Amino acid sequence: MIKNILGRVFAFWAIIVFVPTMLIAFIPIGLAGLWPEPKRTKIFQTSAAIWMRVFFLFTGTRINAKGKENFENGKNYIVVCNHNSFMDVPITTPFIPGPPNKTIAKVEMAKIPVFGLIYTRGSVLVDRKSEESRKSSFNKMKEVLNLGLHMCIYPEGTRNKTNEPLQRFHDGAFRLAIDTGKAILPTVIFNTAKVLPVGKPFFFWPVAIRMHYLEPVPVNSTMTVAELREKVFAIMRDYYVQHK
């Protein structure tokens, strides 16, 4: 009972911190549109990182990252992450090491005033109900990789609301890797579901979030999409279970 009350107090405070800091971040992120890619995304990521660091500082949330050395200088990756909470995107987009990154994201979120533009700057948008949109977003992700940026993808598709470590992975990230030859870099996120739990619409609990970057998984010409998908799934599932 006490935790539920405090969680709602923290949620109210988090909103108080989030809104004005978002409006401040909106200025450089909005102006980033004046520059071409990849500088536009670099400005976005720098601004988002400052914004999130301030937000986490004032809400008592901490980020502990491990495995940054797995990002080799001069290389970009397809970074795949597990997805447990709405908090996942705000920590991956600003804090993935190396070159800037874009995230595959739902087009519906872009309709939110102010936040929608920020969301759009750091994303490749997709309407999952549209076959044409899915094809277009796939080509845009290839363009992102060709620019030397990371592409961040949540292969579960939606937040994991089950009791299993991971939901079934979709093929998109792994088809992208096969088509482009870019290595997959698995990233396992812990504790975001404790910050913003599924099923508690107005609740925030400050804890230490852990992001563990694992060794890259290279692709080769003989590997199928299914083989790569299952290999990465097993790596991430086993790591999550062992380190939870």
Side-chain angles (χ1 to χ4, degrees):
M1 177 65 73
I2 294 176
K3 185 174 181 178
N4 284 334
I5 294 172
L6 287 175
R8 282 156 176 78
V9 172
F10 289 146
F12 182 71
W13 172 245
I15 291 173
I16 291 175
V17 175
F18 184 85
V19 173
T21 54
M22 177 185 68
L23 294 175
I24 294 170
F26 178 81
I27 298 171
I29 290 173
L31 292 174
L34 298 174
W35 281 269
E37 294 288 11
K39 187 173 182 179
R40 179 187 305 166
T41 298
K42 184 174 182 179
I43 294 170
F44 165 80
Q45 185 164 351
T46 301
S47 303
I50 295 171
W51 173 26
M52 284 296 101
R53 288 185 189 281
V54 171
F55 175 76
F56 291 146
L57 174 65
F58 281 95
T59 58
T61 310
R62 303 173 304 285
I63 305 291
N64 296 324
K66 179 180 178 181
K68 292 182 180 180
E69 67 278 2
N70 288 319
F71 288 84
E72 186 176 336
N73 288 336
K75 286 190 176 182
N76 61 326
Y77 299 92
I78 299 169
V79 182
V80 298
C81 309
N82 57 315
H83 194 12
N84 292 321
S85 167
F86 285 130
M87 184 59 69
D88 296 326
V89 174
I91 66 166
T92 52
T93 297
F95 301 120
I96 290 176
N101 68 86
K102 283 188 178 289
T103 302
I104 186 73
K106 296 185 293 185
V107 70
E108 294 87 350
M109 298 292 286
K111 299 175 183 178
I112 301 173
V114 182
F115 178 78
L117 184 140
I118 297 174
Y119 188 82
T120 301
R121 281 281 187 265
S123 306
V124 171
L125 298 178
V126 60
D127 181 353
R128 289 180 293 183
K129 299 177 183 177
S130 167
E131 178 67 23
E132 182 179 351
S133 176
R134 291 198 297 271
K135 289 180 180 178
S136 175
S137 66
F138 190 81
N139 290 329
K140 289 177 182 177
M141 289 192 288
K142 286 184 177 180
E143 292 172 7
V144 168
L145 293 170
N146 287 335
L147 287 169
L149 307 177
H150 297 313
M151 191 65 227
C152 180
I153 301 176
Y154 302 90
E156 294 168 284
T158 59
R159 288 175 297 156
N160 186 1
K161 300 178 183 180
T162 74
N163 293 323
E164 297 297 320
L166 298 173
Q167 299 181 103
R168 181 181 66 87
F169 282 179
H170 295 285
D171 288 344
F174 311 101
R175 181 170 289 111
L176 183 65
I178 296 292
D179 284 4
T180 62
K182 295 294 182 181
I184 297 280
L185 200 145
T187 298
V188 182
I189 303 171
F190 300 91
N191 296 337
T192 51
K194 294 179 181 179
V195 181
L196 292 177
V198 173
K200 290 188 177 182
F202 192 76
F203 186 95
F204 185 97
W205 196 258
V207 299
I209 297 171
R210 293 183 290 149
M211 295 179 65
H212 290 190
Y213 308 110
L214 311 186
E215 292 184 5
V217 179
V219 300
N220 59 63
S221 58
T222 63
M223 186 176 287
T224 67
V225 171
E227 288 171 344
L228 180 59
R229 182 192 67 221
E230 294 308 313
K231 181 177 183 178
V232 174
F233 181 91
I235 290 170
M236 293 178 65
R237 179 197 59 206
D238 294 348
Y239 190 92
Y240 186 93
V241 171
Q242 291 170 12
H243 295 83
K244 184 179 180 181

